[in-house]
Amino acid sequence: MTPAGHLTNADRPIGVFDSGVGGLSVLNALREELPHERFVYFADTAHAPYGERGDAYVGERSGTIARYLLETHRIKALVVACNTATAAAIHRVRADHPMLPVIGVEPALKPAVALSRTGHIAVMATRVTVESRKFETLRASLAAQASFHIVPCDGLAGAIERSDLPAIASLCQKYTADAGVYGSDAGQIDTLVLGCTHYPFIADELRRHTGETVRFIDTGLPVAQQTRRLLGQAGQLALEGDGAVLLLSSAAPESLDAAASRWLALSAGPASLARTAIAATV
Ligand code: DGL
């Protein structure tokens, strides 16, 4: 690496953001796939959850965070590790920064269609995501191939943010039941799409209601692979970096810190490389 402040393109970090802790599920996959990259993770905790707010609000926050990560941390790529922000705002972020590789996440409907045998697929996501035009276009393009049981999960990401276990338990019970009946017989749901990056962290709780045989699909791995592809094409892959992670939160950083120690798979690198979360006013 060249002296501080003169990082080469490949040495610059990858920015990752979410409304809160959910994007850590994507960061886990990114660190596995790209062990030499440095990451700056931004949790917009002061403004979470995004999922029941309007597009304009989420668009405004996404634009502000993208600008901050570029100007202050000189990121070389941005992963929008939030289905809600991707649905509401990724087109604006791309238009504002045409030279920046921007990778988003969206509910994995296509992989679910490929895996499902019964053709009945449950999709859990935030209200902003499921009511977005982007999601509707995706669903409509696959409507002939499967029946989608779509559940807007109001309050669930917020409960995960607060680590509110009783609320998580009752919302999981309600929303899995709202989708329908699970199993591998005709007419039953055999595949569940986790359409919010917070939900992989409560997979065990969801499974209590769906049973063991239902397949859960999230988007961490494909997003990490797409990030690798785009950086490779741009000649910007880091080949020998230390894999350091900088954790930033727009509110008091304790909840991000606690979530990172609980959920970030630090075994992918020395624990000391993940810095204690710090507050950033953005
Ligand atoms: N983790 C986010 C998502 O993937 C947003 C959850 C929220 O803030 O409501 O949709």
Side-chain angles (χ1 to χ4, degrees):
M1 192 185 287
T2 51
H6 300 281
L7 299 177
T8 65
N9 272 348
D11 288 333
R12 285 155 55 199
I14 298 171
V16 182
F17 85 89
D18 178 47
S19 61
V21 301
L24 294 175
S25 66
V26 179
L27 183 57
N28 269 337
L30 286 163
R31 295 185 77 220
E32 283 274 317
E33 184 72 17
L34 296 159
H36 297 298
E37 298 290 348
R38 297 163 57 235
F39 295 95
V40 179
Y41 181 90
F42 185 89
D44 198 11
T45 318
H47 305 94
Y50 284 172
E52 292 121 61
R53 302 195 193 246
D55 283 12
Y57 186 90
V58 177
E60 162 66 26
R61 288 306 303 159
S62 302
T64 302
I65 293 164
R67 254 191 323 278
Y68 162 77
L69 289 172
L70 258 173
E71 288 167 9
T72 308
H73 297 279
R74 301 191 57 225
I75 56 169
K76 64 180 176 184
L78 178 64
V79 178
V80 181
C82 174
N83 294 263
T84 308
T86 300
I90 199 165
H91 53 288
R92 280 174 52 176
V93 174
R94 288 194 172 122
D96 288 350
H97 309 286
M99 302 306 285
L100 182 73
V102 179
I103 301 96
V105 300
E106 65 182 5
L109 267 52
K110 259 188 226 160
V113 167
L115 281 174
S116 174
R117 299 232 164 106
T118 63
H120 285 269
I121 296 166
V123 184
M124 295 176 65
T126 69
R127 184 168 293 280
V128 167
T129 298
V130 301
E131 291 180 354
S132 69
R133 193 174 313 154
K134 206 168 189 315
F135 179 80
E136 179 46 28
T137 306
L138 178 65
R139 190 202 61 78
S141 73
L142 298 165
Q145 296 173 58
S147 298
F148 295 103
H149 303 251
I150 295 163
V151 187
C153 299
D154 294 342
L156 186 51
I160 297 168
E161 279 297 309
R162 300 189 307 276
S163 291
D164 181 343
L165 300 182
I168 292 170
S170 75
L171 291 173
C172 284
Q173 181 176 27
K174 170 174 166 35
Y175 292 139
T176 48
D178 284 354
V181 177
Y182 298 83
S184 28
D185 293 339
Q188 295 182 332
I189 296 165
D190 67 351
T191 308
L192 170 62
V193 174
L194 304 177
C196 167
T197 55
H198 281 69
Y199 303 164
F201 296 129
I202 54 158
D204 289 348
E205 185 62 36
L206 291 167
R207 201 165 271 300
R208 294 182 53 218
H209 306 288
T210 63
E212 285 304 313
T213 60
V214 171
R215 284 176 198 259
F216 286 13
I217 306 189
D218 72 65
T219 27
L221 180 61
V223 166
Q225 290 169 333
Q226 172 69 352
T227 305
R228 164 186 279 287
R229 258 192 303 276
L230 287 185
L231 286 176
Q233 281 163 11
Q236 291 195 355
L237 278 173
L239 301 176
E240 50 191 22
D242 60 8
V245 176
L246 173 62
L247 298 170
L248 301 168
S249 170
S250 57
E254 287 76 15
S255 63
L256 176 60
D257 223 10
S261 347
R262 193 155 149 209
W263 287 324
L264 206 52
L266 292 173
S267 54
S272 60
L273 292 178
R275 304 234 323 246
T276 304
I278 54 176
T281 311
V282 177

mmCIF file of all heavy atoms in Angstrom, residues 18-19 36 60 74-76 81 95 108 114 123 133 148 160 170 178 222 227 237 252-253 258 263 268 271:
data_model
loop_
_atom_site.group_PDB
_atom_site.id
_atom_site.type_symbol
_atom_site.label_atom_id
_atom_site.label_comp_id
_atom_site.label_asym_id
_atom_site.label_seq_id
_atom_site.Cartn_x
_atom_site.Cartn_y
_atom_site.Cartn_z
ATOM 1 N N ASP A 18 -26.664 -0.394 5.206
ATOM 2 C CA ASP A 18 -28.013 -0.899 5.456
ATOM 3 C C ASP A 18 -28.663 0.073 6.436
ATOM 4 O O ASP A 18 -27.978 0.936 7.006
ATOM 5 C CB ASP A 18 -27.936 -2.312 6.066
ATOM 6 C CG ASP A 18 -29.313 -2.875 6.406
ATOM 7 O OD1 ASP A 18 -30.226 -2.787 5.568
ATOM 8 O OD2 ASP A 18 -29.493 -3.393 7.531
ATOM 9 N N SER A 19 -29.969 -0.084 6.655
ATOM 10 C CA SER A 19 -30.623 0.742 7.664
ATOM 11 C C SER A 19 -30.059 0.455 9.056
ATOM 12 O O SER A 19 -30.205 1.268 9.959
ATOM 13 C CB SER A 19 -32.127 0.458 7.666
ATOM 14 O OG SER A 19 -32.349 -0.903 7.986
ATOM 15 N N HIS A 36 -9.343 -10.345 0.984
ATOM 16 C CA HIS A 36 -8.297 -9.318 1.042
ATOM 17 C C HIS A 36 -8.839 -7.900 0.965
ATOM 18 O O HIS A 36 -8.074 -6.937 1.043
ATOM 19 C CB HIS A 36 -7.283 -9.543 -0.083
ATOM 20 C CG HIS A 36 -6.564 -10.845 0.059
ATOM 21 N ND1 HIS A 36 -5.766 -11.132 1.143
ATOM 22 C CD2 HIS A 36 -6.562 -11.949 -0.723
ATOM 23 C CE1 HIS A 36 -5.297 -12.361 1.013
ATOM 24 N NE2 HIS A 36 -5.763 -12.877 -0.103
ATOM 25 N N GLU A 60 -33.479 9.648 -0.057
ATOM 26 C CA GLU A 60 -32.686 10.754 0.481
ATOM 27 C C GLU A 60 -31.553 10.224 1.386
ATOM 28 O O GLU A 60 -30.391 10.615 1.251
ATOM 29 C CB GLU A 60 -33.653 11.668 1.249
ATOM 30 C CG GLU A 60 -33.070 12.639 2.247
ATOM 31 C CD GLU A 60 -32.221 13.688 1.569
ATOM 32 O OE1 GLU A 60 -32.492 13.954 0.391
ATOM 33 O OE2 GLU A 60 -31.280 14.190 2.206
ATOM 34 N N ARG A 74 -13.528 7.291 0.545
ATOM 35 C CA ARG A 74 -12.987 7.037 -0.790
ATOM 36 C C ARG A 74 -13.226 5.594 -1.233
ATOM 37 O O ARG A 74 -12.311 4.905 -1.707
ATOM 38 C CB ARG A 74 -11.497 7.390 -0.827
ATOM 39 C CG ARG A 74 -11.245 8.867 -0.477
ATOM 40 C CD ARG A 74 -9.825 9.289 -0.759
ATOM 41 N NE ARG A 74 -9.495 9.043 -2.145
ATOM 42 C CZ ARG A 74 -8.356 8.481 -2.541
ATOM 43 N NH1 ARG A 74 -7.444 8.099 -1.670
ATOM 44 N NH2 ARG A 74 -8.130 8.293 -3.811
ATOM 45 N N ILE A 75 -14.461 5.147 -1.080
ATOM 46 C CA ILE A 75 -14.782 3.761 -1.455
ATOM 47 C C ILE A 75 -14.612 3.559 -2.966
ATOM 48 O O ILE A 75 -14.775 4.487 -3.744
ATOM 49 C CB ILE A 75 -16.215 3.381 -1.021
ATOM 50 C CG1 ILE A 75 -17.252 4.357 -1.613
ATOM 51 C CG2 ILE A 75 -16.310 3.314 0.484
ATOM 52 C CD1 ILE A 75 -18.684 3.900 -1.446
ATOM 53 N N LYS A 76 -14.298 2.314 -3.346
ATOM 54 C CA LYS A 76 -14.129 2.008 -4.775
ATOM 55 C C LYS A 76 -15.357 1.311 -5.354
ATOM 56 O O LYS A 76 -15.471 1.155 -6.566
ATOM 57 C CB LYS A 76 -12.892 1.135 -4.984
ATOM 58 C CG LYS A 76 -12.980 -0.232 -4.338
ATOM 59 C CD LYS A 76 -11.721 -1.048 -4.581
ATOM 60 C CE LYS A 76 -11.779 -2.379 -3.859
ATOM 61 N NZ LYS A 76 -10.548 -3.151 -3.985
ATOM 62 N N ALA A 81 -26.644 -3.030 0.914
ATOM 63 C CA ALA A 81 -26.943 -4.327 1.540
ATOM 64 C C ALA A 81 -28.322 -4.302 2.182
ATOM 65 O O ALA A 81 -28.519 -4.758 3.307
ATOM 66 C CB ALA A 81 -25.865 -4.678 2.561
ATOM 67 N N ALA A 95 -27.274 6.842 -10.857
ATOM 68 C CA ALA A 95 -27.301 8.032 -11.718
ATOM 69 C C ALA A 95 -26.383 9.117 -11.140
ATOM 70 O O ALA A 95 -25.705 9.829 -11.891
ATOM 71 C CB ALA A 95 -28.732 8.545 -11.846
ATOM 72 N N ALA A 108 -34.680 -13.004 -3.754
ATOM 73 C CA ALA A 108 -34.178 -13.989 -4.723
ATOM 74 C C ALA A 108 -35.305 -14.841 -5.299
ATOM 75 O O ALA A 108 -35.360 -16.058 -5.098
ATOM 76 C CB ALA A 108 -33.114 -14.857 -4.042
ATOM 77 N N ALA A 114 -36.318 -21.734 -9.398
ATOM 78 C CA ALA A 114 -35.495 -22.853 -9.870
ATOM 79 C C ALA A 114 -35.474 -24.000 -8.848
ATOM 80 O O ALA A 114 -35.395 -25.167 -9.226
ATOM 81 C CB ALA A 114 -34.073 -22.357 -10.154
ATOM 82 N N VAL A 123 -42.537 -15.219 0.310
ATOM 83 C CA VAL A 123 -41.563 -14.125 0.238
ATOM 84 C C VAL A 123 -41.819 -13.205 1.417
ATOM 85 O O VAL A 123 -42.895 -12.607 1.530
ATOM 86 C CB VAL A 123 -41.704 -13.318 -1.071
ATOM 87 C CG1 VAL A 123 -40.612 -12.253 -1.152
ATOM 88 C CG2 VAL A 123 -41.669 -14.229 -2.295
ATOM 89 N N ARG A 133 -42.074 -0.755 -7.431
ATOM 90 C CA ARG A 133 -42.256 -1.108 -8.842
ATOM 91 C C ARG A 133 -41.238 -2.179 -9.245
ATOM 92 O O ARG A 133 -41.528 -3.095 -10.006
ATOM 93 C CB ARG A 133 -42.101 0.133 -9.711
ATOM 94 C CG ARG A 133 -42.595 -0.134 -11.110
ATOM 95 C CD ARG A 133 -42.603 1.068 -12.001
ATOM 96 N NE ARG A 133 -43.189 2.248 -11.388
ATOM 97 C CZ ARG A 133 -42.880 3.489 -11.732
ATOM 98 N NH1 ARG A 133 -42.000 3.709 -12.664
ATOM 99 N NH2 ARG A 133 -43.452 4.526 -11.140
ATOM 100 N N PHE A 148 -46.484 -16.932 -5.771
ATOM 101 C CA PHE A 148 -45.735 -16.269 -4.709
ATOM 102 C C PHE A 148 -46.684 -15.844 -3.594
ATOM 103 O O PHE A 148 -47.695 -15.183 -3.852
ATOM 104 C CB PHE A 148 -44.994 -15.047 -5.264
ATOM 105 C CG PHE A 148 -43.941 -15.417 -6.265
ATOM 106 C CD1 PHE A 148 -44.166 -15.247 -7.636
ATOM 107 C CD2 PHE A 148 -42.734 -15.960 -5.849
ATOM 108 C CE1 PHE A 148 -43.200 -15.611 -8.560
ATOM 109 C CE2 PHE A 148 -41.773 -16.326 -6.773
ATOM 110 C CZ PHE A 148 -41.998 -16.151 -8.137
ATOM 111 N N ILE A 160 -35.688 -6.827 15.220
ATOM 112 C CA ILE A 160 -34.338 -7.412 15.135
ATOM 113 C C ILE A 160 -33.306 -6.344 15.519
ATOM 114 O O ILE A 160 -32.347 -6.627 16.249
ATOM 115 C CB ILE A 160 -34.076 -7.974 13.720
ATOM 116 C CG1 ILE A 160 -35.058 -9.115 13.424
ATOM 117 C CG2 ILE A 160 -32.632 -8.455 13.572
ATOM 118 C CD1 ILE A 160 -35.107 -9.556 11.965
ATOM 119 N N SER A 170 -43.140 -13.488 18.219
ATOM 120 C CA SER A 170 -44.557 -13.435 17.825
ATOM 121 C C SER A 170 -44.720 -12.976 16.381
ATOM 122 O O SER A 170 -45.608 -13.465 15.677
ATOM 123 C CB SER A 170 -45.388 -12.604 18.813
ATOM 124 O OG SER A 170 -45.127 -11.249 18.611
ATOM 125 N N ASP A 178 -49.172 -16.168 7.914
ATOM 126 C CA ASP A 178 -49.844 -15.361 6.880
ATOM 127 C C ASP A 178 -49.529 -15.876 5.475
ATOM 128 O O ASP A 178 -50.326 -15.728 4.550
ATOM 129 C CB ASP A 178 -49.389 -13.886 6.957
ATOM 130 C CG ASP A 178 -50.052 -13.148 8.121
ATOM 131 O OD1 ASP A 178 -50.929 -13.743 8.769
ATOM 132 O OD2 ASP A 178 -49.669 -11.992 8.381
ATOM 133 N N PRO A 222 -24.706 -14.602 -3.841
ATOM 134 C CA PRO A 222 -24.716 -14.007 -5.187
ATOM 135 C C PRO A 222 -24.284 -12.548 -5.216
ATOM 136 O O PRO A 222 -23.636 -12.102 -6.165
ATOM 137 C CB PRO A 222 -26.168 -14.149 -5.654
ATOM 138 C CG PRO A 222 -26.914 -14.833 -4.583
ATOM 139 C CD PRO A 222 -25.984 -15.260 -3.515
ATOM 140 N N THR A 227 -20.109 -8.699 -6.766
ATOM 141 C CA THR A 227 -19.143 -7.658 -6.379
ATOM 142 C C THR A 227 -17.751 -8.049 -6.873
ATOM 143 O O THR A 227 -17.015 -7.232 -7.442
ATOM 144 C CB THR A 227 -19.142 -7.481 -4.839
ATOM 145 O OG1 THR A 227 -20.476 -7.215 -4.414
ATOM 146 C CG2 THR A 227 -18.234 -6.343 -4.418
ATOM 147 N N LEU A 237 -9.562 -5.446 -7.952
ATOM 148 C CA LEU A 237 -9.586 -6.415 -6.851
ATOM 149 C C LEU A 237 -8.339 -6.253 -5.995
ATOM 150 O O LEU A 237 -7.231 -6.133 -6.524
ATOM 151 C CB LEU A 237 -9.611 -7.833 -7.410
ATOM 152 C CG LEU A 237 -10.951 -8.409 -7.844
ATOM 153 C CD1 LEU A 237 -10.752 -9.755 -8.521
ATOM 154 C CD2 LEU A 237 -11.901 -8.536 -6.651
ATOM 155 N N ALA A 252 -25.814 5.865 18.466
ATOM 156 C CA ALA A 252 -24.854 5.286 19.411
ATOM 157 C C ALA A 252 -24.470 3.903 18.879
ATOM 158 O O ALA A 252 -25.340 3.125 18.486
ATOM 159 C CB ALA A 252 -25.487 5.182 20.780
ATOM 160 N N PRO A 253 -23.183 3.613 18.819
ATOM 161 C CA PRO A 253 -22.740 2.423 18.100
ATOM 162 C C PRO A 253 -22.872 1.098 18.849
ATOM 163 O O PRO A 253 -22.579 0.059 18.297
ATOM 164 C CB PRO A 253 -21.259 2.730 17.843
ATOM 165 C CG PRO A 253 -20.862 3.657 18.931
ATOM 166 C CD PRO A 253 -22.080 4.450 19.300
ATOM 167 N N ALA A 258 -22.607 -4.807 19.284
ATOM 168 C CA ALA A 258 -23.093 -6.070 19.849
ATOM 169 C C ALA A 258 -23.498 -7.016 18.721
ATOM 170 O O ALA A 258 -23.172 -8.212 18.756
ATOM 171 C CB ALA A 258 -24.288 -5.805 20.762
ATOM 172 N N TRP A 263 -22.840 -11.672 15.257
ATOM 173 C CA TRP A 263 -23.198 -12.207 13.943
ATOM 174 C C TRP A 263 -22.105 -12.149 12.897
ATOM 175 O O TRP A 263 -22.167 -12.886 11.920
ATOM 176 C CB TRP A 263 -24.426 -11.464 13.403
ATOM 177 C CG TRP A 263 -25.687 -11.837 14.098
ATOM 178 C CD1 TRP A 263 -26.028 -13.069 14.573
ATOM 179 C CD2 TRP A 263 -26.776 -10.980 14.387
ATOM 180 N NE1 TRP A 263 -27.282 -13.029 15.134
ATOM 181 C CE2 TRP A 263 -27.761 -11.748 15.028
ATOM 182 C CE3 TRP A 263 -27.032 -9.627 14.155
ATOM 183 C CZ2 TRP A 263 -28.978 -11.229 15.448
ATOM 184 C CZ3 TRP A 263 -28.240 -9.107 14.561
ATOM 185 C CH2 TRP A 263 -29.198 -9.902 15.211
ATOM 186 N N ALA A 268 -13.402 -15.487 9.715
ATOM 187 C CA ALA A 268 -12.846 -15.267 8.374
ATOM 188 C C ALA A 268 -11.561 -14.452 8.439
ATOM 189 O O ALA A 268 -10.866 -14.313 7.449
ATOM 190 C CB ALA A 268 -13.863 -14.555 7.495
ATOM 191 N N ALA A 271 -9.848 -11.383 14.679
ATOM 192 C CA ALA A 271 -10.917 -10.578 15.268
ATOM 193 C C ALA A 271 -10.510 -9.118 15.395
ATOM 194 O O ALA A 271 -11.333 -8.223 15.276
ATOM 195 C CB ALA A 271 -11.272 -11.142 16.633
#
